[in-house]
Amino acid sequence: MRVLVLFAHPAQRKSSINTAMATAARALKGVTFVDLYAEYPRFSIDVDREQRRLMENDVIVFQFPVFWYSTPALLKQWQDLVLEYGFAYGPQGKKLGGKQTLACVTTGGSKSDYSDNGGNRRAVEHFMYPLEQTATLCGMDYLPPFVLYSANHLDDESAQHHIRSYPQLLTALRDDRLDLARVRTLPTFGSSELNDLMRN
Amino acid sequence: MEGLAFYALCYLAAAVLAVIVSQRVGLGSVVGYIAAGVLIGPVFQISVAGSGYLEQFSEFGIVMMLFLIGLEIDPQMVWRLRDKLLGLGGLQVVGTIGAITAAGIGLGFTSQQSLLFGFVAALSSTAIVLQTLEEKGLLKSDGGQASFAVLLFQDLAVIPMLACIPLIAGSGQGDSAGHGGTALLTDLPGWASAVLTLAAVGVVVAAAHYLSRPIFRTIALLGLREVFTAAALLVVVGITVLMSAVGLSPALGAFLGGVVLANSEFKHELQNDIEPFKGLLLGLFFMTIGAKIDPEILLANWSTVVTATFGLMVIKALVLLPLAWFFRVRGPAGWLFALGLAQAGEFGFVLLTIGGDRGLLSPTTVSVSVLIITSSMVLTPVLFALSNRIVIMLEKRGRNQRRADQPDQGTVILAGVGRFGQIVNRMLLANGYKPVVLDYRADVVDNVRKFGVKSFFGDAGRPDLLDSAGLAHAALLVVAIDDPDRATEIVAYARRSNPDIQIIVRAYDRLHHYKLLDAGADHIVREMFDGSVQAAGMALESLGMHPYEVEKRKAVFVEQDTAGLARMAKLVDVDTPAASNPDFVAGFNDIGKVIENAMMGYRSGYDEMVARGWNAPDAGSIHVPKSAGIDLPS
Ligand SMILES: Cc1cc2nc3c(=O)[nH]c(=O)nc-3n(C[C@H](O)[C@H](O)[C@H](O)COP(=O)(O)O)c2cc1C
C-alpha cells in the first residue's frame, strides 16, 4: 500500500513532538511525506498537484497538533480547496473511494481532560467528527484516530516511545500489517496499544 | 618636487573652485574646468611654465574616455540604434563636413584647410552632451537616444579622420610637414602610412583579444587590487605608446581596445579602475584648453570668434534639424537633438593640434579655431535652455509638430512601462483592465503595442498628456517611472487636477516616499523593498529555516518597517534636508536602535512578535479548562 502523510504544523520548533515524529516519518521508504506549511507557506495550495498525490496513494494520513479542537488553518484550507466537487464528491466525484484515512494527532489536553467529566467535556474522537464525516462523504474508509495526549508535558520516555511508534504505525499501514478489524472496534488508539494491534 | 606640488596645488584649487561655481550656476563641470584653465593660464599666468608638461598627461583623459566609450559598446544597443547610428550619424557627419568645407572655401581657405574645418565641426562634444543629458534625465528619451547614436558615430568617425589628416596634409603643403618629427609616419608617403595604420590597429585588436585575458586573470587570482588598477592603466598607456610610435591617434587605439574588451569578464573592473583617472584627466584636458586661450589673440580676433561661433552653431543646427525630422525624431525630441549637438567638441582640439603640427594651419588659425570650439562648448547649456524654450513654445501653440500621441480616455492610467510598469500592466491586463499606458521611449511603446496594449508615446511628466489620457475622469493612476523627481511632480499635478483619483506610485527610497506622501499619493511602493525582503527570506530559507517560519518573519519585518516609516512621516519636512532636521535625525536614530537591537541579538521584541499566535502554550496551560482557569458554559 502506498502511504501519503499530510503534515500540518505552523511552528516547527526543535522541541515540538510533531517535528520529531515528522523526521522519523520522512525517512521511511514507500511513504510520501508532505510538509504542507513548508510547501505552501503562503497558503496558495496547488490543487492539481494535491489531487494527483491523493490519487497516487492508498492510505492518507493527516498528522497535526489539535488547535482549538480542530486542524491547523492550512489543513482546513487544504480540505476546502482539494476536496473539490467532481473530484472528491458529487456524481462524477468519489475518486477517493475506498482509500483509508487516518488522523494522527497530538493534544495539549490530557486523556482525562478529554472525557465527559473533563474540561473539554468530550472524548477526543468527537472533536474529529468533521474529519470523519468528510471522509465518509468522500467514500473513504475512516479509521479511529491515533492520539498522543498531554503533548506539552511528556516525560522523556513516553515521548521517545511515541516517536518510535509513529514510524512503526506507518510501515504497518504500508505493509498491511495493521489489524484493521480490531482497530475499528476502538474509539481511538495510542502508541501503548500499537503492539497489540499488529498482525504478524 | 616643490614646483610639481605648487602646480598641483594651483590646478586642483582652481578646478575645485571653478567647477563648484559652474555647477551651481548650472553650466556643468566642463565649462568649470575650462574656466579654471583660464584662471591659471591667462589670468594668473601660472600655467605658462607648467602646461606643456601637463598637456601630455591631460591627453590621456581623451584616450581614457574613448577607451571607456569602447567598453560601453553593447552590441544589442548598437543594433537597436543601427538606423540612427549609421543613417542619422553618417548623414550628419557628411552633411556638416560638406557645409563647412564649402563655407571655408567661400571664405578663402584652401580646400585642405576647409576640409579639416569640416572634420572639426562635424564632431560634437560627447563629454558635455552625454553628461548634460544624463544630468537632465533625458538620455533614455527619444531625443537623447538619437543624440547618443550620433555621438557614437562621430566618435567612430574620428578614427578615419585621424587617418586622413596625413593624407590631406601629405598631398598639400608637403614642405612644412614633419616638423613635429618624432613619429615614423610623417616621413612615409600617404599610402604607406595608411597601411601602417591598419597594421597597428591589427596589433591592438589582437593583443587586446588574446593577451589581455590571461594577464588579467593571473592578476585577478593574485588578488591585488592595486596591481589590477596598474594593469588597467598599463593597457591604456601601452596602446598610447604603440599608437604614438607609428604616429597614429592613441584615442583611436584606445577605442578599439575598449571595444575588444567590452564583452570580457573584466569589463566592469576595468571601468571602475579607469573611471576616476578619466574624470580627473579629462578635467585636466579641459583646463589646458582654457589655459591655452591667448588673451591677445582673443582680443585681436574677437569679432571673428563671435561670428564664427554663431555661424558654426547655426550651420550645425540647420544640418541636424531636417535630418532629425527625416529620421522621425520630431517635435521636442528633434529640437533637443538638433540644438544639443550644435556645438563642436573635444576631438576638434585633437584634430586642430595635429593639423597644426602638420603645418596645415598656422598657429594663429589654430588658436582662433580653438577659441571658436571652446566658446561653442561653453554655450552648450544655453543651447539646451533654448531647446527647452522652443519645446514650451511649441506646446503653448499646442498643435502641429507634437509627436506625442493622443491617448484614449481610460479609468486606469499607467505612467511608465519599464521593468516596473510592465508587471503592473500585465497583472491589470490579466484581470481584464485595460490601462492607458504612457511612456517616453518610442521603442518601448511600439513593443507593448505589438502585444495589443493601448500605449502612447509621450512624457508622462507633461500635464497636457496626462490630461488627454483622461486624468480628470480616471479612477486610478499608477506612476511607475524611474525618475523620482518627475514622479513626484506627476503625483502633485494629478492630485491637484483630480482630487478623487487613487494614486499608486513607485518610490525610490524613504525620502522619496515622504515627498510622494506630501505630494498626495495614496499608496507608495518602495521599488526595491519587496524584492529585497524576498531575497532575505530566501537567504533564511537557504540557511535551513522552515519556509513558513520565514514567511512569518518576513511579515513581521515588513510590518515593523512600514510602521517605522509611518511614524517617521510626522517628523519629516520635505523642504528641509533630512540631515538638518533634528526631529528626523532623532527619529531615525530611534528606528536605528530598534533595528540594531534586532540585528545584534537583542531580538526578543522581534522574536516575540514573530511568535505571537503561533507558539505552543506553556506546559500545562492547556489543562486549564479543568474548570479552574477558563469559565466554561455549563
Ligand atoms: C493555537 C493553539 C490552539 C490549541 N488548541 C488546543 C485544543 O483545542 N486542545 C488541545 O488539547 N490542545 C490545544 N493546543 C495545544 C497543542 O495541541 C499542543 O501544543 C500540540 O499538540 C503540541 O505539539 P507540538 O509539540 O508538536 O507542538 C493548542 C495549541 C495552540 C498553539
Side-chain angles (χ1 to χ4, degrees):
Chain A
M1 304 260 261
R2 294 159 301 177
V3 179
L4 173 67
V5 180
L6 297 169
F7 171 50
H9 195 312
Q12 299 176 30
R13 294 147 306 138
K14 287 217 178 63
S15 60
S16 145
I17 183 96
N18 276 286
T19 308
M21 291 164 66
T23 308
R26 216 185 290 265
L28 296 177
K29 286 213 182 74
V31 172
T32 307
F33 186 90
V34 175
D35 180 348
L36 287 175
Y37 273 97
E39 288 198 16
Y40 307 115
R42 296 178 204 216
F43 280 52
S44 56
I45 289 173
D46 182 343
V47 174
D48 292 333
R49 176 177 183 210
E50 291 305 312
Q51 292 182 346
R52 224 178 304 126
R53 271 183 189 151
L54 288 175
M55 298 304 294
E56 286 163 0
N57 288 281
D58 312 300
V59 183
I60 317 298
V61 174
F62 298 104
Q63 182 199 334
F64 57 93
V66 172
F67 278 10
W68 289 116
Y69 311 109
S70 180
T71 66
L74 181 56
L75 187 51
K76 182 65 167 62
Q77 172 91 332
W78 181 95
Q79 296 168 45
D80 298 350
L81 297 182
V82 178
L83 303 177
E84 268 181 324
Y85 178 82
F87 170 75
Y89 68 104
Q92 260 89 55
K94 302 268 182 204
K95 299 227 164 75
L96 303 175
K99 293 183 193 294
Q100 290 166 0
T101 56
L102 171 69
C104 295
V105 303
T106 62
T107 71
S110 67
K111 176 127 191 175
S112 62
D113 289 338
Y114 285 99
S115 68
D116 290 356
N117 302 319
N120 295 321
R121 307 196 303 155
R122 298 274 188 283
V124 80
E125 63 269 22
H126 295 292
F127 296 103
M128 297 295 121
Y129 185 67
L131 213 54
E132 176 177 354
Q133 179 52 26
T134 301
T136 309
L137 184 89
C138 297
M140 299 169 86
D141 179 10
Y142 180 80
L143 300 171
F146 178 69
V147 182
L148 174 70
Y149 295 103
S150 308
N152 290 327
H153 34 171
L154 295 169
D155 57 68
D156 221 34
E157 197 186 327
S158 26
Q160 288 308 323
H161 186 233
H162 190 77
I163 294 166
R164 271 198 313 278
S165 304
Y166 183 54
Q168 284 165 9
L169 168 65
L170 295 176
T171 41
L173 284 165
R174 177 192 71 193
D175 305 337
D176 205 8
R177 281 190 294 108
L178 199 63
D179 189 340
L180 294 178
R182 285 196 50 211
V183 170
R184 279 200 190 91
T185 63
L186 304 169
T188 64
F189 67 111
S191 44
S192 50
E193 289 104 317
L194 192 60
N195 263 340
D196 300 336
L197 296 170
M198 301 278 207
R199 272 187 315 222
N200 291 321
Chain B
M1 195 58 208
E2 236 171 62
L4 179 68
F6 177 68
Y7 286 127
L9 177 78
C10 296
Y11 270 79
L12 291 173
V16 171
L17 195 81
V19 171
I20 289 176
V21 171
S22 136
Q23 281 282 33
R24 270 284 144 102
V25 184
L27 290 176
S29 62
V30 174
V31 175
Y33 282 121
I34 294 179
V38 174
L39 276 185
I40 39 182
V43 178
F44 292 121
Q45 308 281 329
I46 300 166
S47 77
V48 196
S51 72
Y53 148 82
L54 281 172
E55 214 169 295
Q56 292 178 338
F57 264 119
S58 70
E59 269 161 23
F60 276 122
I62 294 281
V63 176
M64 285 175 182
M65 180 175 90
L66 267 182
F67 183 70
L68 290 175
I69 291 178
L71 270 182
E72 272 307 331
I73 300 266
D74 164 13
Q76 266 180 1
M77 188 182 60
V78 171
W79 183 246
R80 198 159 42 76
L81 291 174
R82 61 192 183 278
D83 294 348
K84 302 215 167 91
L85 196 87
L86 293 179
L88 192 51
L91 288 175
Q92 182 273 140
V93 168
V94 173
T96 313
I97 293 177
I100 297 283
T101 310
I105 293 173
L107 289 172
F109 291 97
T110 68
S111 56
Q112 287 93 345
Q113 287 169 332
S114 306
L115 187 57
L116 180 60
F117 289 146
F119 285 175
V120 171
L123 307 170
S124 309
S125 172
T126 307
I128 298 184
V129 176
L130 279 191
Q131 197 191 339
T132 313
L133 287 173
E134 201 144 62
E135 278 168 9
K136 293 190 186 288
L138 291 169
L139 197 53
K140 279 193 215 149
S141 73
D142 267 15
Q145 288 282 290
S147 307
F148 177 81
V150 169
L151 287 170
L152 187 58
F153 184 88
Q154 292 177 353
D155 292 345
L156 292 177
V158 174
I159 296 167
M161 286 180 188
L162 289 169
C164 268
I165 292 181
L167 294 182
I168 309 173
S171 63
Q173 283 115 314
D175 49 314
S176 56
H179 88 115
T182 49
L184 236 61
L185 222 70
T186 31
D187 305 326
L188 292 174
W191 65 267
S193 68
V195 170
L196 203 61
T197 309
L198 288 179
V201 166
V203 171
V204 169
V205 171
H209 192 74
Y210 294 104
L211 267 182
S212 67
R213 282 170 185 224
I215 295 176
F216 282 138
R217 195 163 296 133
T218 317
I219 297 172
L221 284 178
L222 283 179
L224 296 171
R225 264 236 62 109
E226 70 282 2
V227 179
F228 199 95
T229 308
L233 288 174
L234 179 67
V235 170
V236 178
V237 176
I239 290 174
T240 306
V241 169
L242 174 72
M243 291 284 137
S244 307
V246 294
L248 261 185
S249 148
L252 171 158
F255 175 80
L256 281 177
V259 172
V260 177
L261 287 169
N263 54 5
S264 119
E265 60 270 44
F266 300 106
K267 170 179 167 180
H268 295 289
E269 290 283 326
L270 286 169
Q271 269 170 337
N272 291 343
D273 283 345
I274 305 268
E275 189 70 52
F277 290 99
K278 178 212 92 176
L280 276 178
L281 292 176
L282 207 54
L284 193 57
F285 175 79
F286 289 122
M287 284 170 74
T288 53
I289 299 294
K292 271 198 287 192
I293 290 179
D294 186 334
E296 272 167 34
I297 294 182
L298 180 58
L299 284 181
N301 297 282
W302 69 269
S303 62
T304 318
V305 172
V306 171
T307 24
T309 307
F310 187 71
L312 168 79
M313 296 197 297
V314 169
I315 292 180
K316 288 197 72 161
L318 284 180
V319 172
L320 287 162
L321 206 52
L323 281 176
W325 198 86
F326 187 73
F327 279 86
R328 310 196 152 272
V329 182
R330 298 180 194 173
W335 285 100
L336 175 73
F337 170 79
L339 291 178
L341 293 178
Q343 77 295 89
E346 50 278 2
F347 285 112
F349 298 134
V350 179
L351 294 178
L352 285 173
T353 312
I354 297 180
D357 291 346
R358 298 255 160 185
L360 207 53
L361 301 173
S362 72
T364 320
T365 317
V366 172
S367 298
V368 173
S369 307
V370 166
L371 280 173
I372 294 167
I373 297 181
T374 311
S375 358
S376 77
M377 285 164 80
V378 172
L379 286 174
T380 304
V382 180
L383 290 172
F384 274 98
L386 186 65
S387 91
N388 207 18
R389 259 293 133 83
I390 293 179
V391 169
I392 292 171
M393 240 164 58
L394 284 177
E395 273 170 12
K396 284 241 174 79
R397 269 197 305 161
R399 8 164 247 112
N400 59 10
Q401 290 277 347
R402 212 174 62 187
R403 166 75 210 287
D405 307 329
Q406 288 298 321
D408 300 355
Q409 308 245 318
T411 54
V412 181
I413 302 172
L414 172 58
V417 273
R419 292 172 305 157
F420 195 99
Q422 253 167 39
I423 305 280
V424 178
N425 188 32
R426 278 169 51 197
M427 280 279 274
L428 287 172
L429 284 176
N431 289 286
Y433 294 96
K434 297 224 158 41
V436 175
V437 170
L438 309 173
D439 201 296
Y440 70 6
R441 277 161 300 178
D443 55 330
V444 172
V445 170
D446 288 345
N447 275 340
V448 186
R449 272 205 166 155
K450 281 187 202 128
F451 294 98
V453 177
K454 256 190 230 155
S455 37
F456 301 93
F457 169 78
D459 183 348
R462 284 176 35 211
D464 56 338
L465 195 67
L466 281 170
D467 287 342
S468 45
L471 182 63
H473 309 288
L476 172 67
L477 166 69
V478 183
V479 183
I481 61 174
D482 59 2
D483 180 335
D485 293 337
R486 193 156 291 196
T488 317
E489 279 164 25
I490 296 177
V491 170
Y493 177 75
R495 179 52 74 219
R496 269 203 308 278
S497 46
N498 181 349
D500 298 328
I501 197 170
Q502 290 271 323
I503 304 175
I504 301 172
V505 57
R506 159 184 183 178
Y508 175 73
D509 59 8
R510 279 169 181 263
L511 205 64
H512 190 216
H513 177 106
Y514 296 128
K515 286 190 182 152
L516 292 168
L517 211 58
D518 203 52
D522 296 296
H523 306 285
I524 303 166
V525 181
R526 276 180 284 165
E527 58 183 13
M528 293 296 197
F529 189 65
D530 285 346
S532 319
V533 171
Q534 202 78 346
M538 279 172 190
L540 291 176
E541 206 175 315
S542 311
L543 292 169
M545 191 181 279
H546 190 274
Y548 190 61
E549 191 62 30
V550 172
E551 211 51 42
K552 289 186 265 179
R553 277 163 198 278
K554 286 194 322 203
V556 172
F557 183 87
V558 170
E559 216 170 85
Q560 285 303 103
D561 196 79
T562 313
L565 201 64
R567 272 200 305 278
M568 296 282 293
K570 300 184 197 86
L571 309 176
V572 179
D573 170 8
V574 287
D575 298 323
T576 319
S580 31
N581 174 347
D583 289 343
F584 186 84
V585 172
F588 201 82
N589 287 339
D590 212 42
I591 292 192
K593 246 173 246 150
V594 174
I595 294 176
E596 200 176 310
N597 285 350
M599 299 294 157
M600 301 311 284
Y602 310 104
R603 333 179 313 178
S604 52
Y606 176 71
D607 271 3
E608 244 162 54
M609 276 178 266
V610 171
R612 274 184 70 178
W614 284 287
N615 243 1
D618 288 342
S621 63
I622 211 70
H623 286 271
V624 167
K626 270 184 191 158
S627 82
I630 304 179
D631 286 330
L632 291 165
S634 44

